[in-house]
């Protein structure tokens, strides 16, 4: 091999090494930066940023207070977002509420979503509601606690399960002060109940 030929091989080798360095420095490094955060995570981050513009976001919040009848309550949520148009309203996610009555009984309500009015102390519970009061379990899709009217209205796929039996109804109204339950059915339908009389 001649000296000229050796110089050509060295030059070509240096050009290839240079191109490889440029390739790995710029192209691969840019690709690594792009794939450092997975696309699903990038989407979640963008959604959270979009939600932040709608109101203040708080996590693991707890509200406590006393209703008009003097009963204590505690409302917990995994996430709360203030309504930017009405600062009294707070949208809730993964909600759990406890109502502690004067006779030492407790009503527990869980739901996927909720709405709390921090001025009137009214609470709405939405989706997959599960309520427990003494030995009775209740399931529904909508529950509305009115502090002013001192009642809890439960509707949409209502099912009550207790040791006395099972009741399916369209709407239940629980008077918190008098501890009475009014069972309603819409459009002249009958209330479906299976009650143990023993």
């Amino acid at each position: 091999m001649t000296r000229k030929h050796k110089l050509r091989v060295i030059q070509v080798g240096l050009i290839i090494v240079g191109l490889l360095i440029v390739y790995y420095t710029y192209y691969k490094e840019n690709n690594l930066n792009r794939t450092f955060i997975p696309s699903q995570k990038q989407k979640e981050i963008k959604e959270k940023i979009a939600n932040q513009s709608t109101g203040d976001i708080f996590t693991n919040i707890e509200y406590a207070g006393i209703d008009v009848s003097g009963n204590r309550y505690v409302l917990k949520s995994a996430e709360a977002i203030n309504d930017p148009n009405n600062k009294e309203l707070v949208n809730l996610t993964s909600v759990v509420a406890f109502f502690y009555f004067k006779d030492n009984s407790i009503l527990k309500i869980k739901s996927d979503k909720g709405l709390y009015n921090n001025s009137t102390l009214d609470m709405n519970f939405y989706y997959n509601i599960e309520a427990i009061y003494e030995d009775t379990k209740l399931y529904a899709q909508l529950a509305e606690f009115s502090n002013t009217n001192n009642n809890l209205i439960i509707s949409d796929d209502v099912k009550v399960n207790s040791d006395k039996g099972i009741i399916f109804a369209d709407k239940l109204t629980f008077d918190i002060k008098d501890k009475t339950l009014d069972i309603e059915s819409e459009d002249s339908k009958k209330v479906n109940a299976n009650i143990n009389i023993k």
Side-chain angles (χ1 to χ4, degrees), residues 150-165:
N150 206 19
N151 66 13
L152 179 66
I153 298 172
I154 302 156
S155 59
D156 198 5
D157 294 328
V158 180
K159 177 185 175 185
V160 179
N161 192 354
S162 74
D163 58 349
K164 302 282 185 198

Side-chain angles (χ1 to χ4, degrees), residues 62-92:
E62 182 174 310
Y63 294 98
I66 298 175
D67 67 14
V68 293
S69 295
N71 298 306
R72 195 168 54 91
Y73 71 85
V74 175
L75 176 66
K76 298 178 181 183
S77 175
E79 184 177 86
I81 303 172
N82 282 346
D83 186 333
N85 300 321
N86 185 350
K87 292 294 181 185
E88 295 175 352
L89 298 179
V90 182
N91 292 296
L92 308 170

Side-chain angles (χ1 to χ4, degrees), residues 115-173:
L115 181 67
Y116 178 64
N117 186 317
N118 57 30
S119 176
T120 64
L121 308 181
D122 292 342
M123 303 172 210
N124 291 351
F125 304 91
Y126 307 102
Y127 313 119
N128 300 316
I129 295 166
E130 181 180 319
I132 300 171
Y133 179 72
E134 295 179 344
D135 293 330
T136 303
K137 287 188 178 180
L138 179 140
Y139 305 94
Q141 298 302 314
L142 175 63
E144 301 164 283
F145 168 71
S146 172
N147 187 43
T148 311
N149 298 327
N150 206 19
N151 66 13
L152 179 66
I153 298 172
I154 302 156
S155 59
D156 198 5
D157 294 328
V158 180
K159 177 185 175 185
V160 179
N161 192 354
S162 74
D163 58 349
K164 302 282 185 198
I166 300 172
I167 297 174
F168 295 93
D170 291 321
K171 183 177 173 185
L172 301 177
T173 304

Side-chain angles (χ1 to χ4, degrees), residues 2-147:
T2 66
R3 182 170 185 241
K4 239 183 186 182
H5 195 263
K6 285 181 183 178
L7 285 175
R8 295 264 184 221
V9 170
I10 291 173
Q11 286 175 342
V12 169
L14 288 174
I15 291 173
I16 291 172
V17 169
L19 289 173
L20 287 174
I21 289 172
V22 169
Y23 173 78
Y24 280 105
T25 302
Y26 295 105
Y27 182 75
K28 279 290 191 183
E29 199 170 294
N30 285 341
N31 276 348
L32 286 175
N33 286 340
R34 283 188 207 135
T35 59
F36 186 68
I37 300 174
S39 60
Q40 179 63 27
K41 193 67 175 171
Q42 288 177 2
K43 185 178 176 184
E44 289 174 16
I45 291 169
K46 286 178 185 176
E47 287 175 2
K48 283 190 177 184
I49 290 170
N51 286 339
Q52 283 181 348
S53 63
T54 61
D56 299 324
I57 298 176
F58 305 95
T59 56
N60 298 321
I61 61 100
E62 182 174 310
Y63 294 98
I66 298 175
D67 67 14
V68 293
S69 295
N71 298 306
R72 195 168 54 91
Y73 71 85
V74 175
L75 176 66
K76 298 178 181 183
S77 175
E79 184 177 86
I81 303 172
N82 282 346
D83 186 333
N85 300 321
N86 185 350
K87 292 294 181 185
E88 295 175 352
L89 298 179
V90 182
N91 292 296
L92 308 170
T93 304
S94 297
V95 184
V96 179
F98 296 91
F99 294 89
Y100 300 96
F101 300 115
K102 292 177 184 175
D103 65 356
N104 293 325
S105 63
I106 299 171
L107 170 64
K108 177 183 177 184
I109 302 175
K110 288 173 46 177
S111 68
D112 292 347
K113 301 283 183 185
L115 181 67
Y116 178 64
N117 186 317
N118 57 30
S119 176
T120 64
L121 308 181
D122 292 342
M123 303 172 210
N124 291 351
F125 304 91
Y126 307 102
Y127 313 119
N128 300 316
I129 295 166
E130 181 180 319
I132 300 171
Y133 179 72
E134 295 179 344
D135 293 330
T136 303
K137 287 188 178 180
L138 179 140
Y139 305 94
Q141 298 302 314
L142 175 63
E144 301 164 283
F145 168 71
S146 172
N147 187 43

